Amino acid sequence: MSSVNLEVGNAALYDPRKVLQHPQFRVLAPADKPSKDANIAAFYNPAHEIHLVEKPRPVPGPGQVLVHVRATGICGSDVHFWQHGRIGDSMVVTDECGSGHESAGEVVEVGEGVSQWKVGDRVAIEAGVPCSQPACDACRTGRYNACPDVVFFSTPPFHGTLTRWHLHPAQWLHRLPDEVSFEEGALCEPLAVALAGIERSGLRLGDPLLVCGAGPIGLISLLSARAAGAEPIVITDLFQSRLDFAKKLVPGVRTVLIQRGSTSKEQAEQVKAAAGAPLKVALECTGVESSVHTAVYSMQFGGKVFIIGVGKNEQVFPFMHLSANEIDVSFQYRYANQYPKAIRLVAGGLINIKPLVTHRFPLEDAISAFHVAADPSQGAIKVQIQD
């Protein structure tokens, strides 16, 4: 990044008020038909509304790149911000806010001092942009996901990447090989989440594994764990259709349907029976308290429950069972240093994420896409918006 941008700071460069207060910003009515070159985006607000807006096409400054966003996946957090207006106490929707952070696209313009990118380059967009300052311990030590001054696009107040034209720092883009599509490039964001979980959990070749939850993150974790050599793998979910999907992705996976009304200990017995071997690691991808309990009761002595999922602020854990069985519990916050690895694994054919996209919508129909993503009865795994 140029010295100019370092002096200004990312929070100022990407100040959401620049968009909201711009004379070209407007919320589109459902009947409005924007032009094909209009910079439209999907925004939510504190009233729990989701709608299209029209905003100015940005101009790249020093160290910046303008990207035509070609594919964006809808994350569960996008739906949560829309419907609930917050995640925890620090991420709260207080104004109109742009959605989307799982994106890939094409470079259409570069700013001063950018030499590594040219018009036409295909890129995956890493949505979390840390300060990168030497005085920042998190950035200096490589754990930039903990940077206190991070700009994470789509986390309030910063606008997201679900838009036609997105402005991004040059060094937080990742080149897509010819054999990796925009669709797959966008999926590298949730894949980065799963890979961070695999790495931090310490999962090793041949480890017996439980994956809790067969949503998008659970399924990508399943694919990643299989590539990492976990065996056997058991996956749980409340919906048989998702377990069937998991079985198609990884035919050797063992599935357990969670019955509503059963206890966590009863569920754990089913999990252990399905595994047929003591389970060493759990990747908990739901954040639901009862599912965490099931993971805990499924572990062998000295096992590890690694929680990737996001849940309610305060939860109760079976403390003495954890203590008496030396079961470690660890957590994850986003990811760091995973994008290059994700792209290599997809390009090399070790992880096939293509089947995860079950629904595709044009950018103009982004609101319909959100409603499909938010409705479990639609059977969507990953909904993508493409342009």
Side-chain angles (χ1 to χ4, degrees), residues 44-387:
Y44 30 66
N45 62 26
H48 310 299
E49 298 167 328
I50 182 86
H51 42 228
L52 290 179
V53 306
E54 190 170 320
K55 58 180 187 171
R57 173 173 165 154
V59 177
Q64 294 179 313
V65 172
L66 186 65
V67 178
H68 176 197
V69 180
R70 300 294 301 275
T72 301
I74 297 178
C75 175
S77 65
D78 293 314
V79 174
H80 203 86
F81 280 132
W82 159 36
Q83 295 186 333
H84 302 283
R86 67 191 302 141
I87 295 177
D89 294 329
S90 61
M91 296 175 278
V92 182
V93 179
T94 59
D95 204 335
E96 292 286 342
C97 186
S99 62
H101 55 268
E102 302 178 3
S103 295
E106 182 178 358
V107 173
V108 293
E109 194 175 345
V110 299
E112 177 189 342
V114 175
S115 58
Q116 69 268 51
W117 302 112
K118 65 181 187 303
V119 173
D121 283 342
R122 301 166 62 257
V123 295
I125 301 171
E126 183 163 356
V129 179
C131 72
S132 302
Q133 295 297 295
C136 175
D137 284 345
C139 290
R140 189 179 65 254
T141 59
R143 301 190 72 175
Y144 59 82
N145 53 320
C147 174
D149 296 319
V150 67
V151 169
F152 199 97
F153 293 102
S154 83
T155 295
F158 300 105
H159 303 312
T161 59
L162 208 175
T163 184
R164 179 160 284 141
W165 314 108
H166 171 70
L167 195 62
H168 209 72
Q171 75 271 41
W172 292 100
L173 298 172
H174 301 274
R175 192 177 304 277
L176 292 179
D178 292 341
E179 61 270 26
V180 177
S181 66
F182 290 122
E183 195 168 280
E184 292 170 294
L187 283 168
C188 282
E189 201 281 339
L191 178 56
V193 173
L195 293 178
I198 296 286
E199 184 175 302
R200 283 188 20 85
S201 71
L203 184 74
R204 300 180 66 178
L205 188 70
D207 280 351
L209 172 71
L210 168 64
V211 178
C212 297
I217 294 297
L219 292 171
I220 292 182
S221 296
L222 168 64
L223 289 167
S224 303
R226 173 56 83 210
E231 175 62 27
I233 305 176
V234 179
I235 191 167
T236 63
D237 203 87
L238 286 165
F239 297 97
Q240 185 62 47
S241 60
R242 289 192 165 187
L243 294 176
D244 294 341
F245 194 93
K247 197 78 173 173
K248 290 177 183 176
L249 281 180
V250 177
V253 71
R254 307 173 189 196
T255 63
V256 172
L257 180 66
I258 298 299
Q259 302 289 343
R260 297 182 189 274
S262 61
T263 68
S264 295
K265 289 183 177 180
E266 291 169 341
Q267 294 163 9
E269 290 304 315
Q270 289 182 278
V271 167
K272 289 187 283 188
L279 287 159
K280 186 175 181 180
V281 180
L283 298 177
E284 209 299 311
C285 301
T286 74
V288 175
E289 185 175 300
S290 59
S291 181
V292 175
H293 287 200
T294 297
V296 169
Y297 291 127
S298 299
M299 289 299 98
Q300 68 180 42
F301 187 94
K304 184 166 192 174
V305 175
F306 190 86
I307 301 174
I308 300 174
V310 175
K312 63 184 182 180
N313 277 359
E314 296 184 7
Q315 300 193 24
V316 176
F317 286 1
F319 180 89
M320 280 312 301
H321 183 87
L322 290 164
S323 175
N325 289 276
E326 290 191 3
I327 296 170
D328 295 335
V329 179
S330 297
F331 297 85
Q332 175 174 334
Y333 182 63
R334 295 176 177 156
Y335 47 82
N337 308 304
Q338 299 298 323
Y339 255 88
K341 185 197 304 183
I343 293 170
R344 289 197 303 270
L345 288 167
V346 173
L350 276 76
I351 297 180
N352 179 18
I353 50 179
K354 293 178 185 177
L356 294 170
V357 180
T358 55
H359 295 69
R360 299 165 180 85
F361 290 81
L363 180 57
E364 291 79 4
D365 291 339
I367 307 312
S368 298
F370 263 86
H371 284 280
V372 169
D375 181 2
S377 70
Q378 298 289 321
I381 298 297
K382 178 58 67 177
V383 178
Q384 273 198 3
I385 293 157
Q386 302 176 351
D387 190 46

